[in-house]
Amino acid sequence: IILSGSENRYTLSGLNPSTDYEVLLTAIFEDESESDMVSVTETTLAITTMIPTTTTVTRKAVKNLYLSDETTQSLDASWELDDPTVESYRISYTDLSRDQGEESISIGGGQKSTVLQPLLPDTRYKVTVTPVYSDGRDGISASAMGSTLPLLSPENLRVSEESYNRFRVSWDPPQSPTEGYRIVYRPIYVQGPLLETTVGEDVNSVLLLNLLSGTEYSVQVMAFYPAGLSEPQLINAKTLFLGISGLSTYQVHPNSMCVQWQPLLHATLYRVSIQSTLSEYMYWWRLCQFT
């Protein structure tokens, strides 16, 4: 290769890789004479093959998904996953008894539990927990089935403390946490208004006052929840008759007689009067105190 006298470098191309080369150089003058030859030896580099490497990220699955603390309108979901690279969790739940779409919520990656609400009472749900990573990709999810509690009614209704104008109705609370109870009552065989009262969730009896004497009542007790009322539980109760019965005579003599009657609960005194059917003269006196 002949180069201009003003140049002092040149790139030799088209060489073979990993090969020893000797480069020879002489200077040529105007009279076409040449200088002494100098040389240098060099080895070209070998071709380096770039093999791409693929980093495989092993992602763990959600495990021990557990649904607990069921109420009429909520489920508690908890799970385990020891992976600090999880950015968030997507919790989806589907009502299996109705043709409805899936609902979902998202929580931070540091949480391992949440409360699903509001749900429908007495309903079976499929709950799925999916980890979501910072690259937007989903991890390995887990699913579990759970059911909300029905609107349970109070149980074992019973009557006590009967009097002529009142009685007490008691019950056993249901297993579901309630917000209170509604009590509806009215006379059965006589005309009377439909009455009602309410008590709190921590009360399991009520004293019904100002009732009619000797009257049978129909009483309904219902538990109420955020989602509505339970089915009513029914019991009949009767107030005591405010009157004396069984009045009769015995040991009748020419100038005396004995009378007797059925004792009346809660009475402390009796007034006895006698009147001759042959005259209008009436004698009054008070008998002994009855306790």
Side-chain angles (χ1 to χ4, degrees), residues 187-208:
I188 298 177
Y189 301 112
V190 298
Q191 291 293 327
L194 180 66
L195 304 172
E196 69 173 79
T197 186
T198 58
V199 296
E201 73 276 7
D202 57 345
V203 178
N204 68 336
S205 73
V206 62
L207 185 63
L208 302 178

Side-chain angles (χ1 to χ4, degrees), residues 50-87:
M50 301 298 293
I51 301 176
T53 59
T54 301
T55 302
T56 301
V57 178
T58 302
R59 289 176 173 172
K60 301 176 182 178
V62 172
K63 61 181 180 179
N64 296 334
L65 174 57
Y66 185 57
L67 304 179
S68 62
D69 294 337
E70 303 89 344
T71 72
T72 57
Q73 63 168 1
S74 67
L75 290 170
D76 283 13
S78 60
W79 60 91
E80 295 178 5
L81 178 57
D82 184 16
D83 190 343
T85 63
V86 173
E87 187 172 82

Side-chain angles (χ1 to χ4, degrees), residues 6 22 29 56 127 144 172 174-176 182 185 233 251 265:
S6 61
E22 183 180 16
F29 300 101
T56 301
V127 179
D172 293 338
Q175 295 180 354
S176 306
R182 179 185 180 196
Y185 56 102
Q233 294 298 295
Q251 295 182 6
L265 188 64

Side-chain angles (χ1 to χ4, degrees), residues 204-222:
N204 68 336
S205 73
V206 62
L207 185 63
L208 302 178
L209 302 171
N210 301 319
L211 306 179
L212 299 175
S213 169
T215 302
E216 188 169 8
Y217 282 81
S218 170
V219 182
Q220 297 181 18
V221 180
M222 294 158 279

Side-chain angles (χ1 to χ4, degrees), residues 68-289:
S68 62
D69 294 337
E70 303 89 344
T71 72
T72 57
Q73 63 168 1
S74 67
L75 290 170
D76 283 13
S78 60
W79 60 91
E80 295 178 5
L81 178 57
D82 184 16
D83 190 343
T85 63
V86 173
E87 187 172 82
S88 64
Y89 290 97
R90 183 175 65 253
I91 300 94
S92 57
Y93 51 98
T94 306
D95 178 356
L96 298 179
S97 61
R98 295 173 177 83
D99 187 16
Q100 294 182 343
E102 182 180 84
E103 297 185 59
S104 64
I105 61 172
S106 294
I107 62 173
Q111 295 181 242
K112 300 295 188 300
S113 66
T114 190
V115 179
L116 303 176
Q117 61 181 358
L119 306 178
L120 297 174
D122 197 18
T123 302
R124 187 164 179 81
Y125 285 89
K126 178 182 178 181
V127 179
T128 301
V129 176
T130 305
V132 181
Y133 292 85
S134 57
D135 59 3
R137 296 185 180 182
D138 291 348
I140 304 173
S141 61
S143 297
M145 304 292 182
S147 298
T148 52
L149 295 178
L151 302 179
L152 297 176
S153 301
E155 301 176 338
N156 191 26
L157 268 63
R158 51 202 181 271
V159 177
S160 62
E161 302 179 28
E162 298 95 328
S163 183
Y164 68 92
N165 66 347
R166 67 179 184 269
F167 53 73
R168 181 177 295 277
V169 177
S170 305
W171 58 88
D172 293 338
Q175 295 180 354
S176 306
T178 73
E179 290 191 339
Y181 300 92
R182 179 185 180 196
I183 300 94
V184 179
Y185 56 102
R186 73 182 311 168
I188 298 177
Y189 301 112
V190 298
Q191 291 293 327
L194 180 66
L195 304 172
E196 69 173 79
T197 186
T198 58
V199 296
E201 73 276 7
D202 57 345
V203 178
N204 68 336
S205 73
V206 62
L207 185 63
L208 302 178
L209 302 171
N210 301 319
L211 306 179
L212 299 175
S213 169
T215 302
E216 188 169 8
Y217 282 81
S218 170
V219 182
Q220 297 181 18
V221 180
M222 294 158 279
F224 57 85
Y225 301 88
L229 287 169
S230 71
E231 289 295 319
Q233 294 298 295
L234 176 66
I235 192 172
N236 292 345
K238 189 174 182 179
T239 55
L240 299 180
F241 176 63
L242 186 59
I244 298 173
S245 62
L247 181 62
S248 62
T249 60
Y250 67 102
Q251 295 182 6
V252 179
H253 300 288
N255 60 354
S256 67
M257 70 177 72
C258 291
V259 292
Q260 61 182 1
W261 56 88
Q262 292 294 326
L264 185 61
L265 188 64
H266 304 305
T268 58
L269 294 173
Y270 291 97
R271 175 183 293 167
V272 180
S273 62
I274 184 171
Q275 179 180 358
S276 171
T277 58
L278 300 178
S279 68
E280 295 183 357
Y281 187 81
M282 182 181 292
Y283 300 91
W284 298 83
W285 71 91
R286 177 173 294 180
L287 292 184
C288 60
Q289 185 174 10

